[in-house]
Amino acid sequence: GQSLEQPSEVTAVEGAIVQINCTYQTSGFYGLSWYQQHDGGAPTFLSYNALDGLEETGRFSSFLSRSDSYGYLLLQELQMKDSASYFCAVRRNTGKLIFGQGTTLQVKP
Amino acid sequence: DVKVTQSSRYLVKRTGEKVFLECVQDMDHENMFWYRQDPGLGLRLIYFSYDVKMKEKGDIPEGYSVSREKKERFSLILESASTNQTSMYLCASSSGQGPHEQYFGPGTRLTVT
């Protein structure tokens, strides 16, 4: 079968760093994507890792370890506008994305 | 900027009705997808299409069908709507080289009564 596990909720304060973990179990793994979705909005693409290591895009970084079937999204210098749901998604060799259930991040002042 | 539009933001239908949800993208993307999003379940793939007139089942295709007659348009059809199809429906598109980077429409919140 296939599954993705990520925490359901994370809380952090403004200016802090937060890490959202994602573990996966799937056949035909090709890469790991991350998406952000604000309440009432559409998911938007954040980052993608096909190879092991860290990818940095501004305040956001994403990490992948294929041998551990594990990845994480790192958000630095948290801002109130970062309060949203974050989804990891496995890209399979068929081109399909399998999404996790999402992590709700609440940023407090 | 990629733009994906969906025909309705909110829709209320009765049980047994035939429902059409339309999605249009303006970036000449090869791939198009239909998902439903329910609380606690994430996004689940209903159907996807890699090319005009091509369609493949996703993880939850039962009770749905799709149509892709033109590259920019992908329609989701509920042949006979049921209350368990009340959900948020999201359409997405991506280039052939980048299925990991999908662009989503604003969603249609469908209520079946």
Side-chain angles (χ1 to χ4, degrees):
Chain A
Q2 52 202 18
S3 66
L4 286 90
E5 296 281 339
Q6 53 180 129
S8 57
E9 292 182 9
V10 173
T11 302
V13 296
E14 212 173 358
I17 299 172
V18 73
Q19 179 174 311
I20 299 174
N21 298 322
C22 175
T23 57
Y24 59 86
Q25 185 177 356
T26 185
S27 59
F29 177 85
Y30 208 83
L32 190 69
S33 292
W34 288 91
Y35 285 78
Q36 179 192 59
Q37 185 179 30
H38 285 101
D39 223 17
T44 56
F45 173 78
L46 290 176
S47 68
Y48 176 67
N49 296 69
L51 303 174
D52 285 0
L54 194 67
E55 293 280 343
E56 297 183 62
T57 312
R59 293 188 297 114
F60 293 4
S61 304
S62 58
F63 172 83
L64 176 66
S65 168
R66 295 173 73 106
S67 59
D68 295 324
S69 298
Y70 164 75
Y72 65 72
L73 180 70
L74 192 73
L75 295 82
Q76 300 180 324
E77 300 171 20
L78 278 176
Q79 301 175 9
M80 297 298 292
K81 67 178 182 179
D82 296 330
S83 293
S85 292
Y86 293 85
F87 295 88
C88 59
V90 163
R91 174 185 170 180
R92 300 187 66 197
N93 53 8
T94 57
K96 288 167 54 175
L97 286 185
I98 309 297
F99 283 83
Q101 294 181 3
T103 298
T104 301
L105 170 63
Q106 186 178 15
V107 180
K108 295 187 172 180
Chain B
D1 269 1
V2 177
K3 195 167 184 183
V4 180
T5 57
Q6 296 184 226
S7 49
S8 305
R9 195 78 174 92
Y10 299 94
L11 209 52
V12 179
K13 294 292 181 181
R14 293 191 181 274
T15 303
E17 279 193 86
K18 191 168 187 175
V19 182
F20 293 87
L21 303 182
E22 303 254 307
C23 174
V24 177
Q25 50 94 4
D26 66 358
M27 279 302 291
D28 202 36
H29 280 168
E30 291 84 356
N31 303 329
M32 295 190 75
F33 308 83
W34 274 107
Y35 295 90
R36 65 177 282 176
Q37 184 173 24
D38 301 288
L41 296 178
L43 283 77
R44 292 181 292 166
L45 183 64
I46 304 170
Y47 267 97
F48 60 107
S49 169
Y50 288 138
D51 202 349
V52 176
K53 296 195 186 294
M54 279 192 55
K55 58 185 179 185
E56 291 200 32
K57 292 180 180 179
D59 300 313
I60 50 165
E62 296 79 20
Y64 304 94
S65 62
V66 290
S67 172
R68 194 168 180 199
E69 296 296 317
K70 293 185 177 182
K71 190 174 185 179
E72 68 270 19
R73 189 179 298 269
F74 193 34
S75 302
L76 180 70
I77 302 150
L78 287 67
E79 295 290 341
S80 177
S82 64
T83 55
N84 63 12
Q85 292 178 310
T86 291
S87 186
M88 171 67 83
Y89 289 88
L90 290 160
C91 174
S93 72
S94 74
S95 70
Q97 292 75 36
H100 56 276
E101 183 175 351
Q102 295 185 9
Y103 295 84
F104 284 83
T108 296
R109 183 162 294 283
L110 172 67
T111 302
V112 182
T113 61

PDB file of all heavy atoms in Angstrom, chain A residues 35 42-45, chain B residues 1-4 23 25 27 29 31 33 91-95 98-105:
ATOM      1  N   TYR A  35       3.143  21.703  -0.477  1.00  0.00           N
ATOM      2  CA  TYR A  35       2.159  22.698  -0.863  1.00  0.00           C
ATOM      3  C   TYR A  35       1.657  23.432   0.372  1.00  0.00           C
ATOM      4  O   TYR A  35       1.591  22.860   1.465  1.00  0.00           O
ATOM      5  CB  TYR A  35       0.960  22.035  -1.565  1.00  0.00           C
ATOM      6  CG  TYR A  35       1.250  21.593  -2.974  1.00  0.00           C
ATOM      7  CD1 TYR A  35       1.958  20.427  -3.223  1.00  0.00           C
ATOM      8  CD2 TYR A  35       0.829  22.351  -4.068  1.00  0.00           C
ATOM      9  CE1 TYR A  35       2.253  20.031  -4.518  1.00  0.00           C
ATOM     10  CE2 TYR A  35       1.105  21.958  -5.360  1.00  0.00           C
ATOM     11  CZ  TYR A  35       1.821  20.800  -5.578  1.00  0.00           C
ATOM     12  OH  TYR A  35       2.103  20.419  -6.872  1.00  0.00           O
ATOM     13  N   ALA A  42      -6.704  28.024  -2.494  1.00  0.00           N
ATOM     14  CA  ALA A  42      -6.235  26.873  -3.253  1.00  0.00           C
ATOM     15  C   ALA A  42      -4.829  26.492  -2.794  1.00  0.00           C
ATOM     16  O   ALA A  42      -4.059  27.355  -2.366  1.00  0.00           O
ATOM     17  CB  ALA A  42      -6.218  27.200  -4.740  1.00  0.00           C
ATOM     18  N   PRO A  43      -4.475  25.229  -2.879  1.00  0.00           N
ATOM     19  CA  PRO A  43      -3.087  24.843  -2.582  1.00  0.00           C
ATOM     20  C   PRO A  43      -2.128  25.505  -3.563  1.00  0.00           C
ATOM     21  O   PRO A  43      -2.439  25.627  -4.757  1.00  0.00           O
ATOM     22  CB  PRO A  43      -3.091  23.321  -2.773  1.00  0.00           C
ATOM     23  CG  PRO A  43      -4.516  22.913  -2.643  1.00  0.00           C
ATOM     24  CD  PRO A  43      -5.316  24.056  -3.192  1.00  0.00           C
ATOM     25  N   THR A  44      -0.985  25.941  -3.059  1.00  0.00           N
ATOM     26  CA  THR A  44       0.048  26.508  -3.922  1.00  0.00           C
ATOM     27  C   THR A  44       1.353  25.756  -3.694  1.00  0.00           C
ATOM     28  O   THR A  44       1.696  25.414  -2.566  1.00  0.00           O
ATOM     29  CB  THR A  44       0.259  28.009  -3.677  1.00  0.00           C
ATOM     30  OG1 THR A  44       0.556  28.213  -2.289  1.00  0.00           O
ATOM     31  CG2 THR A  44      -0.978  28.797  -4.026  1.00  0.00           C
ATOM     32  N   PHE A  45       2.064  25.538  -4.778  1.00  0.00           N
ATOM     33  CA  PHE A  45       3.301  24.777  -4.743  1.00  0.00           C
ATOM     34  C   PHE A  45       4.397  25.555  -4.027  1.00  0.00           C
ATOM     35  O   PHE A  45       4.567  26.758  -4.248  1.00  0.00           O
ATOM     36  CB  PHE A  45       3.730  24.481  -6.183  1.00  0.00           C
ATOM     37  CG  PHE A  45       5.081  23.848  -6.315  1.00  0.00           C
ATOM     38  CD1 PHE A  45       5.256  22.509  -6.066  1.00  0.00           C
ATOM     39  CD2 PHE A  45       6.178  24.619  -6.689  1.00  0.00           C
ATOM     40  CE1 PHE A  45       6.512  21.930  -6.195  1.00  0.00           C
ATOM     41  CE2 PHE A  45       7.430  24.050  -6.813  1.00  0.00           C
ATOM     42  CZ  PHE A  45       7.594  22.700  -6.571  1.00  0.00           C
TER      43      PHE A  45
ATOM     44  N   ASP B   1       1.616  34.289 -15.443  1.00  0.00           N
ATOM     45  CA  ASP B   1       1.102  33.466 -14.344  1.00  0.00           C
ATOM     46  C   ASP B   1       0.110  32.441 -14.860  1.00  0.00           C
ATOM     47  O   ASP B   1      -0.739  32.752 -15.678  1.00  0.00           O
ATOM     48  CB  ASP B   1       0.386  34.354 -13.323  1.00  0.00           C
ATOM     49  CG  ASP B   1       1.321  34.841 -12.230  1.00  0.00           C
ATOM     50  OD1 ASP B   1       2.505  34.488 -12.306  1.00  0.00           O
ATOM     51  OD2 ASP B   1       0.862  35.545 -11.342  1.00  0.00           O
ATOM     52  N   VAL B   2       0.237  31.231 -14.347  1.00  0.00           N
ATOM     53  CA  VAL B   2      -0.727  30.192 -14.691  1.00  0.00           C
ATOM     54  C   VAL B   2      -2.063  30.519 -14.059  1.00  0.00           C
ATOM     55  O   VAL B   2      -2.129  30.953 -12.918  1.00  0.00           O
ATOM     56  CB  VAL B   2      -0.262  28.818 -14.153  1.00  0.00           C
ATOM     57  CG1 VAL B   2      -1.301  27.756 -14.446  1.00  0.00           C
ATOM     58  CG2 VAL B   2       1.068  28.451 -14.762  1.00  0.00           C
ATOM     59  N   LYS B   3      -3.085  30.343 -14.851  1.00  0.00           N
ATOM     60  CA  LYS B   3      -4.402  30.572 -14.278  1.00  0.00           C
ATOM     61  C   LYS B   3      -5.260  29.338 -14.529  1.00  0.00           C
ATOM     62  O   LYS B   3      -5.391  28.862 -15.669  1.00  0.00           O
ATOM     63  CB  LYS B   3      -5.053  31.796 -14.904  1.00  0.00           C
ATOM     64  CG  LYS B   3      -6.239  32.300 -14.118  1.00  0.00           C
ATOM     65  CD  LYS B   3      -6.656  33.682 -14.581  1.00  0.00           C
ATOM     66  CE  LYS B   3      -7.787  34.209 -13.721  1.00  0.00           C
ATOM     67  NZ  LYS B   3      -8.248  35.526 -14.192  1.00  0.00           N
ATOM     68  N   VAL B   4      -5.822  28.829 -13.448  1.00  0.00           N
ATOM     69  CA  VAL B   4      -6.760  27.729 -13.529  1.00  0.00           C
ATOM     70  C   VAL B   4      -8.077  28.228 -12.970  1.00  0.00           C
ATOM     71  O   VAL B   4      -8.131  28.709 -11.833  1.00  0.00           O
ATOM     72  CB  VAL B   4      -6.265  26.505 -12.712  1.00  0.00           C
ATOM     73  CG1 VAL B   4      -7.269  25.362 -12.823  1.00  0.00           C
ATOM     74  CG2 VAL B   4      -4.889  26.061 -13.200  1.00  0.00           C
ATOM     75  N   CYS B  23     -13.350  22.974 -15.647  1.00  0.00           N
ATOM     76  CA  CYS B  23     -12.054  23.532 -15.287  1.00  0.00           C
ATOM     77  C   CYS B  23     -11.333  23.942 -16.565  1.00  0.00           C
ATOM     78  O   CYS B  23     -11.301  23.177 -17.541  1.00  0.00           O
ATOM     79  CB  CYS B  23     -11.232  22.481 -14.544  1.00  0.00           C
ATOM     80  SG  CYS B  23      -9.541  22.974 -14.175  1.00  0.00           S
ATOM     81  N   GLN B  25      -7.627  25.815 -17.993  1.00  0.00           N
ATOM     82  CA  GLN B  25      -6.292  26.356 -17.699  1.00  0.00           C
ATOM     83  C   GLN B  25      -5.756  27.054 -18.947  1.00  0.00           C
ATOM     84  O   GLN B  25      -6.062  26.663 -20.066  1.00  0.00           O
ATOM     85  CB  GLN B  25      -5.337  25.263 -17.210  1.00  0.00           C
ATOM     86  CG  GLN B  25      -5.266  24.020 -18.069  1.00  0.00           C
ATOM     87  CD  GLN B  25      -4.162  24.007 -19.099  1.00  0.00           C
ATOM     88  OE1 GLN B  25      -3.330  24.919 -19.177  1.00  0.00           O
ATOM     89  NE2 GLN B  25      -4.128  22.947 -19.907  1.00  0.00           N
ATOM     90  N   MET B  27      -2.344  27.767 -19.619  1.00  0.00           N
ATOM     91  CA  MET B  27      -0.894  27.665 -19.798  1.00  0.00           C
ATOM     92  C   MET B  27      -0.478  26.530 -20.718  1.00  0.00           C
ATOM     93  O   MET B  27       0.669  26.107 -20.681  1.00  0.00           O
ATOM     94  CB  MET B  27      -0.209  27.509 -18.439  1.00  0.00           C
ATOM     95  CG  MET B  27      -0.033  28.822 -17.717  1.00  0.00           C
ATOM     96  SD  MET B  27       0.925  30.028 -18.671  1.00  0.00           S
ATOM     97  CE  MET B  27       2.550  29.277 -18.643  1.00  0.00           C
ATOM     98  N   HIS B  29      -0.933  23.433 -20.534  1.00  0.00           N
ATOM     99  CA  HIS B  29      -0.433  22.288 -19.785  1.00  0.00           C
ATOM    100  C   HIS B  29      -1.001  20.991 -20.334  1.00  0.00           C
ATOM    101  O   HIS B  29      -2.172  20.902 -20.699  1.00  0.00           O
ATOM    102  CB  HIS B  29      -0.817  22.413 -18.301  1.00  0.00           C
ATOM    103  CG  HIS B  29       0.078  23.329 -17.540  1.00  0.00           C
ATOM    104  ND1 HIS B  29      -0.226  23.780 -16.274  1.00  0.00           N
ATOM    105  CD2 HIS B  29       1.283  23.868 -17.846  1.00  0.00           C
ATOM    106  CE1 HIS B  29       0.753  24.545 -15.847  1.00  0.00           C
ATOM    107  NE2 HIS B  29       1.675  24.616 -16.775  1.00  0.00           N
ATOM    108  N   ASN B  31      -1.038  18.071 -18.513  1.00  0.00           N
ATOM    109  CA  ASN B  31      -1.690  17.298 -17.453  1.00  0.00           C
ATOM    110  C   ASN B  31      -2.788  18.092 -16.768  1.00  0.00           C
ATOM    111  O   ASN B  31      -2.614  19.273 -16.457  1.00  0.00           O
ATOM    112  CB  ASN B  31      -0.668  16.909 -16.373  1.00  0.00           C
ATOM    113  CG  ASN B  31       0.505  16.130 -16.932  1.00  0.00           C
ATOM    114  OD1 ASN B  31       0.370  15.403 -17.907  1.00  0.00           O
ATOM    115  ND2 ASN B  31       1.652  16.294 -16.301  1.00  0.00           N
ATOM    116  N   PHE B  33      -5.929  17.479 -13.568  1.00  0.00           N
ATOM    117  CA  PHE B  33      -6.300  16.606 -12.459  1.00  0.00           C
ATOM    118  C   PHE B  33      -7.582  17.100 -11.799  1.00  0.00           C
ATOM    119  O   PHE B  33      -7.823  18.298 -11.721  1.00  0.00           O
ATOM    120  CB  PHE B  33      -5.193  16.608 -11.385  1.00  0.00           C
ATOM    121  CG  PHE B  33      -3.801  16.319 -11.906  1.00  0.00           C
ATOM    122  CD1 PHE B  33      -3.037  17.331 -12.459  1.00  0.00           C
ATOM    123  CD2 PHE B  33      -3.276  15.049 -11.843  1.00  0.00           C
ATOM    124  CE1 PHE B  33      -1.754  17.079 -12.951  1.00  0.00           C
ATOM    125  CE2 PHE B  33      -2.002  14.777 -12.320  1.00  0.00           C
ATOM    126  CZ  PHE B  33      -1.239  15.792 -12.869  1.00  0.00           C
ATOM    127  N   CYS B  91      -9.514  21.436  -9.090  1.00  0.00           N
ATOM    128  CA  CYS B  91      -8.918  21.096 -10.364  1.00  0.00           C
ATOM    129  C   CYS B  91      -7.476  21.598 -10.361  1.00  0.00           C
ATOM    130  O   CYS B  91      -7.174  22.631  -9.740  1.00  0.00           O
ATOM    131  CB  CYS B  91      -9.705  21.759 -11.494  1.00  0.00           C
ATOM    132  SG  CYS B  91      -8.969  21.564 -13.133  1.00  0.00           S
ATOM    133  N   ALA B  92      -6.586  20.892 -11.030  1.00  0.00           N
ATOM    134  CA  ALA B  92      -5.189  21.317 -11.111  1.00  0.00           C
ATOM    135  C   ALA B  92      -4.638  20.988 -12.489  1.00  0.00           C
ATOM    136  O   ALA B  92      -5.158  20.122 -13.197  1.00  0.00           O
ATOM    137  CB  ALA B  92      -4.352  20.637 -10.030  1.00  0.00           C
ATOM    138  N   SER B  93      -3.577  21.703 -12.851  1.00  0.00           N
ATOM    139  CA  SER B  93      -2.889  21.394 -14.102  1.00  0.00           C
ATOM    140  C   SER B  93      -1.382  21.460 -13.876  1.00  0.00           C
ATOM    141  O   SER B  93      -0.913  22.086 -12.920  1.00  0.00           O
ATOM    142  CB  SER B  93      -3.300  22.355 -15.223  1.00  0.00           C
ATOM    143  OG  SER B  93      -2.746  23.639 -15.013  1.00  0.00           O
ATOM    144  N   SER B  94      -0.641  20.791 -14.750  1.00  0.00           N
ATOM    145  CA  SER B  94       0.823  20.852 -14.688  1.00  0.00           C
ATOM    146  C   SER B  94       1.383  20.567 -16.069  1.00  0.00           C
ATOM    147  O   SER B  94       0.703  19.981 -16.925  1.00  0.00           O
ATOM    148  CB  SER B  94       1.370  19.843 -13.672  1.00  0.00           C
ATOM    149  OG  SER B  94       1.289  18.526 -14.177  1.00  0.00           O
ATOM    150  N   SER B  95       2.619  20.968 -16.262  1.00  0.00           N
ATOM    151  CA  SER B  95       3.279  20.647 -17.514  1.00  0.00           C
ATOM    152  C   SER B  95       3.630  19.164 -17.541  1.00  0.00           C
ATOM    153  O   SER B  95       3.662  18.507 -16.488  1.00  0.00           O
ATOM    154  CB  SER B  95       4.550  21.475 -17.670  1.00  0.00           C
ATOM    155  OG  SER B  95       5.523  21.031 -16.743  1.00  0.00           O
ATOM    156  N   GLY B  98       6.679  18.487 -15.434  1.00  0.00           N
ATOM    157  CA  GLY B  98       6.657  18.839 -14.009  1.00  0.00           C
ATOM    158  C   GLY B  98       5.383  18.475 -13.284  1.00  0.00           C
ATOM    159  O   GLY B  98       4.715  19.350 -12.722  1.00  0.00           O
ATOM    160  N   PRO B  99       4.996  17.220 -13.286  1.00  0.00           N
ATOM    161  CA  PRO B  99       3.744  16.846 -12.602  1.00  0.00           C
ATOM    162  C   PRO B  99       3.808  17.072 -11.103  1.00  0.00           C
ATOM    163  O   PRO B  99       2.756  17.051 -10.447  1.00  0.00           O
ATOM    164  CB  PRO B  99       3.593  15.361 -12.930  1.00  0.00           C
ATOM    165  CG  PRO B  99       4.960  14.884 -13.248  1.00  0.00           C
ATOM    166  CD  PRO B  99       5.654  16.038 -13.890  1.00  0.00           C
ATOM    167  N   HIS B 100       5.024  17.303 -10.572  1.00  0.00           N
ATOM    168  CA  HIS B 100       5.131  17.556  -9.137  1.00  0.00           C
ATOM    169  C   HIS B 100       4.743  18.983  -8.784  1.00  0.00           C
ATOM    170  O   HIS B 100       4.511  19.299  -7.620  1.00  0.00           O
ATOM    171  CB  HIS B 100       6.580  17.318  -8.683  1.00  0.00           C
ATOM    172  CG  HIS B 100       7.565  18.143  -9.458  1.00  0.00           C
ATOM    173  ND1 HIS B 100       8.067  17.748 -10.674  1.00  0.00           N
ATOM    174  CD2 HIS B 100       8.097  19.363  -9.202  1.00  0.00           C
ATOM    175  CE1 HIS B 100       8.895  18.676 -11.121  1.00  0.00           C
ATOM    176  NE2 HIS B 100       8.925  19.674 -10.254  1.00  0.00           N
ATOM    177  N   GLU B 101       4.686  19.847  -9.780  1.00  0.00           N
ATOM    178  CA  GLU B 101       4.349  21.249  -9.559  1.00  0.00           C
ATOM    179  C   GLU B 101       2.992  21.521 -10.202  1.00  0.00           C
ATOM    180  O   GLU B 101       2.906  21.851 -11.392  1.00  0.00           O
ATOM    181  CB  GLU B 101       5.417  22.159 -10.149  1.00  0.00           C
ATOM    182  CG  GLU B 101       5.157  23.645  -9.879  1.00  0.00           C
ATOM    183  CD  GLU B 101       6.282  24.550 -10.359  1.00  0.00           C
ATOM    184  OE1 GLU B 101       7.344  24.017 -10.756  1.00  0.00           O
ATOM    185  OE2 GLU B 101       6.093  25.777 -10.336  1.00  0.00           O
ATOM    186  N   GLN B 102       1.977  21.372  -9.423  1.00  0.00           N
ATOM    187  CA  GLN B 102       0.618  21.521  -9.946  1.00  0.00           C
ATOM    188  C   GLN B 102       0.058  22.891  -9.553  1.00  0.00           C
ATOM    189  O   GLN B 102       0.318  23.395  -8.459  1.00  0.00           O
ATOM    190  CB  GLN B 102      -0.279  20.397  -9.411  1.00  0.00           C
ATOM    191  CG  GLN B 102       0.168  19.035  -9.916  1.00  0.00           C
ATOM    192  CD  GLN B 102      -0.753  17.909  -9.513  1.00  0.00           C
ATOM    193  OE1 GLN B 102      -1.846  18.110  -8.989  1.00  0.00           O
ATOM    194  NE2 GLN B 102      -0.312  16.681  -9.785  1.00  0.00           N
ATOM    195  N   TYR B 103      -0.726  23.448 -10.458  1.00  0.00           N
ATOM    196  CA  TYR B 103      -1.385  24.727 -10.242  1.00  0.00           C
ATOM    197  C   TYR B 103      -2.869  24.454 -10.058  1.00  0.00           C
ATOM    198  O   TYR B 103      -3.491  23.823 -10.919  1.00  0.00           O
ATOM    199  CB  TYR B 103      -1.144  25.650 -11.437  1.00  0.00           C
ATOM    200  CG  TYR B 103       0.303  26.035 -11.599  1.00  0.00           C
ATOM    201  CD1 TYR B 103       1.194  25.201 -12.277  1.00  0.00           C
ATOM    202  CD2 TYR B 103       0.790  27.225 -11.065  1.00  0.00           C
ATOM    203  CE1 TYR B 103       2.524  25.550 -12.417  1.00  0.00           C
ATOM    204  CE2 TYR B 103       2.124  27.577 -11.212  1.00  0.00           C
ATOM    205  CZ  TYR B 103       2.983  26.735 -11.877  1.00  0.00           C
ATOM    206  OH  TYR B 103       4.306  27.076 -12.017  1.00  0.00           O
ATOM    207  N   PHE B 104      -3.394  24.949  -8.949  1.00  0.00           N
ATOM    208  CA  PHE B 104      -4.761  24.634  -8.578  1.00  0.00           C
ATOM    209  C   PHE B 104      -5.717  25.784  -8.878  1.00  0.00           C
ATOM    210  O   PHE B 104      -5.359  26.968  -8.775  1.00  0.00           O
ATOM    211  CB  PHE B 104      -4.844  24.313  -7.081  1.00  0.00           C
ATOM    212  CG  PHE B 104      -4.326  22.943  -6.738  1.00  0.00           C
ATOM    213  CD1 PHE B 104      -2.971  22.721  -6.570  1.00  0.00           C
ATOM    214  CD2 PHE B 104      -5.205  21.882  -6.585  1.00  0.00           C
ATOM    215  CE1 PHE B 104      -2.488  21.454  -6.266  1.00  0.00           C
ATOM    216  CE2 PHE B 104      -4.740  20.612  -6.267  1.00  0.00           C
ATOM    217  CZ  PHE B 104      -3.378  20.396  -6.106  1.00  0.00           C
ATOM    218  N   GLY B 105      -6.948  25.406  -9.201  1.00  0.00           N
ATOM    219  CA  GLY B 105      -8.027  26.374  -9.286  1.00  0.00           C
ATOM    220  C   GLY B 105      -8.547  26.695  -7.901  1.00  0.00           C
ATOM    221  O   GLY B 105      -8.142  26.075  -6.917  1.00  0.00           O
TER     222      GLY B 105
END
